[in-house]
Amino acid sequence: MNKMSNKKIEWIEFLRCYACISIVLFHVIRHFGSFYIKKTTLQKLFNILILGIFNNMGVYCFIMISGYLILNPAKDISLTKIKKYIKRMVFILLIFGYTFCVCTNIHNRNDNIFKILLISFFDLIQGKTINHLWYIYMLIGLYILTPALKIFINNASKKTAKFILISLFILGILIPTINDFFHIKLTTFNLKNLLYIFIYLLGYYITVKDFINEKIIYSCGVIGIIGYIMIIIITKNIPHTNIFNIFESIMIFKIFSTGKIKIKHNKFIKKIAKYSFGVYLIHYYYLTLIPNFFKVYINNFPFIFGEILTIGLILAISYITSVILYKLPFLKKILTT
C-alpha cells in the first residue's frame, strides 16, 4: 500500500513540475509574441511549434490532479476541509489579486487612497485583476461544487457517469469550440465554464475508474497537437481553450498517471513541484514587469536565445520569489499544496 502511495506521489510531482514549466513557457511565448516588430519565418514556425506542444494544457493538468486527489471516494474530504480550501483561495485573491488591483488603480487614477481601496475591492470581486488569477476564481467554484460532485460519484452508475461526461464535453468544449472557430452561436447562453467541471471529474474517472480507452486518449492527443497548430496557422491567433488543447491535456495527464514516462526522481523535480503553485501565482507579475518597466523583449536577443533566456529568467525569478514567500509562516500555510 505504501509503495503504491509513493508511486502516486511521484507521478503527481512529475506532472506538477511539467505543468508548471509548460504554463510559464506558454505565457512567455504568448505574452511576448505580440512585441515582435519583425518576425522571420523561422521565428514564426518555432513559436507556433512551442505553442502547439505547450499550449494552455498545464492549467488543465492541475485541475485533473485536484479532481484525482479530492473527488476520490477513498479520500475522506469533509465539508469543513472544503471550507478551508475555499478560505485559502479567498486569502490568495486578497493577497495577490487585491494588491495588484490597488497598485493598478494608484497608477491609473488620481483619486484619494480610500476611494482607490474601495474601487480595487469591487474590481477584485468582479475578477478585474491580473489575467492568470482567473484560475483561483474557477477553483473556488469547483470547491463549492465538490460536495455535490462527490455525491454524484458515489451514487452514479457507470452508464450515468458516462452520459454526464459526454454531455459536459459536448456542452462545455465541443459547442464553444465550434462557436469560436466559425464565429456562430449554437446556444444563447455561455457554456464554457462547464469544461472545468468536465476536466475536474475526468481527473478521477480516467485514473481511478479508467473510463476511457488509452488508445482513444492517445489518438485524440495527437489530433490535439496537430489541430491546435493548424488553428494558429489558419486564424493567426493563439486560442486559450478549445477542443484540441483539451485533448492534449488529457493525453499528458494519462501518460503521467500511468507511468508511461520514466523520469528519474531528482531534487529539481521535487523542488519545482513543491513550489509550483507559488511559481504560477508569481510568474505573470514578472511577465508584466519586465517588458513594461525594463523594456526587455524576446526580440532584443538572437532567435531562440530570446525565448530560452526569457523563459529561464521568468522561471528562475518566480521560483526564488516563491521559495522566499513559502518561508513566511502565514503564506506558507496558504500556498502549500
Side-chain angles (χ1 to χ4, degrees):
M1 184 69 179
N2 291 333
K3 190 175 180 182
M4 188 178 290
S5 297
N6 289 334
K7 280 185 178 180
K8 286 178 182 178
I9 291 170
E10 281 188 7
W11 75 257
I12 288 173
E13 285 190 336
F14 293 153
L15 185 54
R16 276 183 177 151
C17 178
Y18 175 86
C20 177
I21 293 172
S22 73
I23 287 169
V24 173
L25 199 155
F26 174 77
H27 281 162
V28 167
I29 300 294
R30 192 179 197 279
H31 187 82
F32 282 89
S34 60
F35 289 102
Y36 275 115
I37 298 170
K38 292 180 181 179
K39 277 187 180 181
T40 66
T41 302
L42 200 57
Q43 283 174 321
K44 288 178 183 178
L45 288 173
F46 177 76
N47 284 276
I48 287 169
L49 184 63
I50 291 296
L51 290 167
I53 296 172
F54 298 97
N55 53 58
N56 207 31
M57 64 181 172
V59 170
Y60 304 122
C61 288
F62 279 131
I63 297 171
M64 283 186 275
I65 289 171
S66 296
Y68 169 75
L69 292 173
I70 296 172
L71 296 178
N72 194 335
K75 187 172 182 180
D76 183 27
I77 303 290
S78 65
L79 191 58
T80 302
K81 197 161 188 177
I82 291 170
K83 287 178 182 177
K84 285 183 180 178
Y85 289 158
I86 295 170
K87 286 179 183 177
R88 181 177 163 232
M89 292 302 116
V90 170
F91 279 128
I92 286 170
L93 281 179
L94 288 172
I95 294 166
F96 293 94
Y98 187 59
T99 303
F100 179 81
C101 290
V102 171
C103 291
T104 302
N105 284 321
I106 287 173
H107 183 266
N108 295 334
R109 293 174 175 271
N110 294 319
D111 299 314
N112 64 66
I113 189 64
F114 296 106
K115 188 174 181 180
I116 283 173
L117 291 173
L118 184 63
I119 290 168
S120 298
F121 180 72
F122 283 110
D123 285 345
L124 182 71
I125 292 173
Q126 296 174 77
K128 295 178 182 177
T129 182
I130 194 163
N131 291 350
H132 70 305
L133 290 187
W134 69 266
Y135 178 71
I136 307 302
Y137 292 93
M138 180 274 302
L139 272 184
I140 291 172
L142 287 181
Y143 289 151
I144 290 170
L145 292 174
T146 293
L149 293 176
K150 284 182 78 70
I151 292 170
F152 167 76
I153 283 170
N154 290 334
N155 295 282
S157 65
K158 188 174 182 179
K159 189 175 180 180
T160 301
K162 283 188 174 182
F163 173 78
I164 294 297
L165 287 173
I166 291 169
S167 299
L168 288 172
F169 173 78
I170 293 169
L171 294 173
I173 300 170
L174 184 59
I175 290 176
T177 298
I178 293 169
N179 287 344
D180 290 343
F181 191 75
F182 294 104
H183 304 291
I184 59 174
K185 275 192 175 182
L186 294 180
T187 61
T188 55
F189 52 96
N190 189 2
L191 298 167
K192 281 187 176 181
N193 289 334
L194 292 176
L195 83 90
Y196 303 116
I197 301 172
F198 171 78
I199 294 293
Y200 191 49
L201 285 170
L202 213 60
Y204 165 74
Y205 276 111
I206 65 173
T207 49
V208 180
K209 290 294 185 181
D210 198 21
F211 259 24
I212 308 172
N213 184 279
E214 280 190 26
K215 289 181 180 179
I216 294 174
I217 291 175
Y218 299 144
S219 298
C220 288
V222 173
I223 292 169
I225 296 171
I226 297 169
Y228 196 84
I229 290 172
M230 290 305 295
I231 281 182
I232 297 172
I233 293 170
I234 294 168
T235 65
K236 296 180 181 179
N237 188 29
I238 304 165
H240 260 297
T241 300
N242 57 50
I243 195 169
F244 298 114
N245 62 345
I246 297 297
F247 279 165
E248 191 177 347
S249 305
I250 295 167
M251 178 184 71
I252 292 297
F253 182 78
K254 186 66 176 180
I255 288 171
F256 276 92
S257 67
T258 53
K260 298 286 184 184
I261 297 179
K262 302 295 180 184
I263 307 171
K264 187 178 179 181
H265 201 67
N266 54 48
K267 288 183 179 179
F268 173 80
I269 290 173
K270 195 172 182 179
K271 290 290 185 181
I272 294 292
K274 180 180 179 181
Y275 297 109
S276 60
F277 188 47
V279 170
Y280 177 83
L281 290 173
I282 293 298
H283 81 281
Y284 216 93
Y285 292 94
Y286 289 120
L287 210 54
T288 306
L289 188 70
I290 289 174
N292 290 339
F293 289 90
F294 297 104
K295 307 302 178 184
V296 176
Y297 311 118
I298 285 177
N299 58 314
N300 292 150
F301 304 96
F303 167 59
I304 294 182
F305 289 104
E307 282 83 351
I308 293 171
L309 285 170
T310 310
I311 291 160
L313 180 65
I314 297 290
L315 189 60
I317 297 174
S318 301
Y319 174 80
I320 292 167
T321 307
S322 185
V323 171
I324 294 169
L325 292 177
Y326 273 67
K327 290 187 181 296
L328 302 174
F330 175 69
L331 283 177
K332 182 180 179 180
K333 190 174 180 180
I334 65 169
L335 289 174
T336 303
T337 53

